[in-house]
Amino acid sequence: MDDLRAQVDRRLREFVERQLHTPGGAEFEPLRTAAADLLSGGKRLRPAFCYWGWRAAGGTDEPGVFTAAASLELLQASALVHDDVMDKSDLRRGMPAAHRRFETLHGKSGWQGSAEQFGEGAAILLGNLLLIWSGEMWRTSGLPPESLAAAQPVHDHMRTELMCGQYLDLLEQAAGENTVESALRVALYKSGKYSVEHPLRLGLVLAAGKLEPWMDELCTAYGTRVGIAFQQRDDILGVFGDPARTGKPAGDDLREGKRTMLVARTLAAASAHQASTVRGLLGDRHLDERGVATLREIIEGTGALRECEDLIGDYLTEALAALEQAPITPEARAALADLAVAATSRRT
Amino acid sequence: MDDLRAQVDRRLREFVERQLHTPGGAEFEPLRTAAADLLSGGKRLRPAFCYWGWRAAGGTDEPGVFTAAASLELLQASALVHDDVMDKSDLRRGMPAAHRRFETLHGKSGWQGSAEQFGEGAAILLGNLLLIWSGEMWRTSGLPPESLAAAQPVHDHMRTELMCGQYLDLLEQAAGENTVESALRVALYKSGKYSVEHPLRLGLVLAAGKLEPWMDELCTAYGTRVGIAFQQRDDILGVFGDPARTGKPAGDDLREGKRTMLVARTLAAASAHQASTVRGLLGDRHLDERGVATLREIIEGTGALRECEDLIGDYLTEALAALEQAPITPEARAALADLAVAATSRRT
């Protein structure tokens, strides 16, 4: 796995380094640096699911698969940059969010006009570049054209679905019922499918040239479950995570008012008084440590935290059982099992 | 040309109609409707340059080329949606800009949270969908894989360059020297190349499978010149255009403080007093009819308007001369000549 990470890291560095070298293009340096800095972090989970899907379907190590897998990090980076603009977040991976970075560039340079508007505009464009590059890196990975052609519908579907998931998330914050069911749907579309299921499916189809029934079964029984558990872990980290590890302020999701599965479970189990407290504090931009502590107590006290942890455990168990049934090599089985554990028990 | 437009219109309608039909996906209807409404307008210039590039290089009429050409409208629509978010514009093609549309949806629905933030978020996602779909429609056009493979580097380059051009535009507003030269560079990257030169080049390469020297010559001698003249016309319409035709309020570019070639020429030719008036009024969000009239008088009085009109005329003449030299069929020559005139003398 360390080797996979190194392969992915190197390819991302080299790809971004090649971009934006036009004559007199020194002014694009801040875009390239912002992309490179953002891409230097990250858990590389999506490339790993893609790579091990490829190996699970009989693919052997070759340069192209590392490049194709690495391209998924560009898509993720694009989503993060735009997400931070939409949420008006300040931090990402322990560094200023891209729009804040460009806002600071504007301020430091003493430029005219609104620094905030410049920052948001530049971040929207950076996210677009990352989105465009993810497709370009995928297609120019060096894998055979027929493999890429077979996987292209999955690739297109994944990207459209990601945007739809993000839109569902906006709707859920604005108008959602905040039921466990609706929060689960958002989690599945916004994150679960594109973090685990689709990268895995891409790897499988790239290697096999088509989706065999057992692959589809694996993507659902293992991929969907790991994806949902992954997002539940994300929900928990957004409330209880250690800022030194997550790179986000403590309780940031509470301050942003995210309507997660954890919150939905809390509201479902809360007394009238507790529910009213949660509704009053959630989304308060100026929520202090005490407010965070109050919400954490309710989330623990209602049993919602325990429920989420149990669900993660159950999903992981079921996913690993499904993995046992799949006709894949012992090596791929072991790696996908490790990945499932890593994705759902992570602390960053 | 009417037939080409009908072909492009139909394909865009059909493509967008096929999107976002997931189970229980009624909530995506506003995204699809916003895309369809936006795409119902537009001059279809980019598809026309692409189509006639194809014909100029010997391509014959076939369904795939209409689809590939039409996909360029999705890229343009994506840029417009994001541009309006970045500029905080209210109107586009005579209708509310996408972010205002979603803001209204939020308000009308009585949803919670900031309607403005919801509108911007949804518009960023809509722009992303249009960007993703433009690539998907291009690749699934039905043209032979080898033609698409030959044109792909041009396609990738065009999209990255468009984002860079938009970034240059942000920089020019914030920190530019506002010289004629710097304004010309922005116009070339932001609009000229991707409106004329690249669509033309795409059509040529799609048909020929490679870029012959005469094609590159045509893209520069004809394409670049028509592209710059096209953008100069845009600058003039942004100040002197008829709102009923442009779908934008009168003098909107002045209110937004756009640092166009027209403005750069005005400042270069202005007296100290005139320059100070221009700098004082340009970018005033509340600029009234009288302010617009004052700026128009200065732009005309300094001779800047005349200069821009002359430049458009010169570029058009040179482009048409270059077209005469190209080894293409009389039919393609005539159509590209008509297109050059249409692109540079348009009133919308």
Side-chain angles (χ1 to χ4, degrees), chain B residues 174-185:
Chain B
E177 300 160 24
N178 300 156
T179 60
V180 175
E181 198 184 12
S182 67
L184 180 66
R185 182 156 174 259

Side-chain angles (χ1 to χ4, degrees), chain B residues 26-39:
Chain B
E27 58 252 278
F28 301 129
E29 193 60 33
L31 287 169
R32 190 171 45 242
T33 316
D37 285 355
L38 184 60
L39 288 163

Side-chain angles (χ1 to χ4, degrees), chain A residues 27 82 86 112 117 128 174, chain B residues 82 86 112 117 128 174 185:
Chain A
E27 58 253 278
H82 281 178
M86 295 191 286
Q112 58 191 351
Q117 202 172 336
N128 290 351
Chain B
H82 281 178
M86 295 193 283
Q112 57 190 351
Q117 201 172 335
N128 290 351
R185 182 156 174 259

Side-chain angles (χ1 to χ4, degrees), chain B residues 226-299:
Chain B
V226 176
I228 294 173
F230 167 84
Q231 186 53 39
Q232 295 248 18
R233 176 59 60 207
D234 219 54
D235 292 355
I236 294 173
L237 289 170
V239 176
F240 296 94
D242 173 2
R245 286 172 179 267
T246 63
K248 288 259 185 187
D252 208 37
D253 277 6
L254 300 171
R255 219 166 275 115
E256 289 185 3
K258 291 250 175 85
R259 301 295 169 149
T260 63
M261 285 180 287
L262 184 61
V263 168
R265 280 178 201 284
T266 303
L267 288 172
S271 68
H273 180 255
Q274 285 174 319
S276 150
T277 306
V278 170
R279 291 212 169 85
L281 294 177
L282 203 66
D284 176 357
R285 287 267 158 193
H286 308 291
L287 193 71
D288 58 12
E289 271 186 43
R290 205 173 136 187
V292 171
T294 302
L295 283 170
R296 282 178 176 167
E297 271 166 36
I298 298 178
I299 291 168

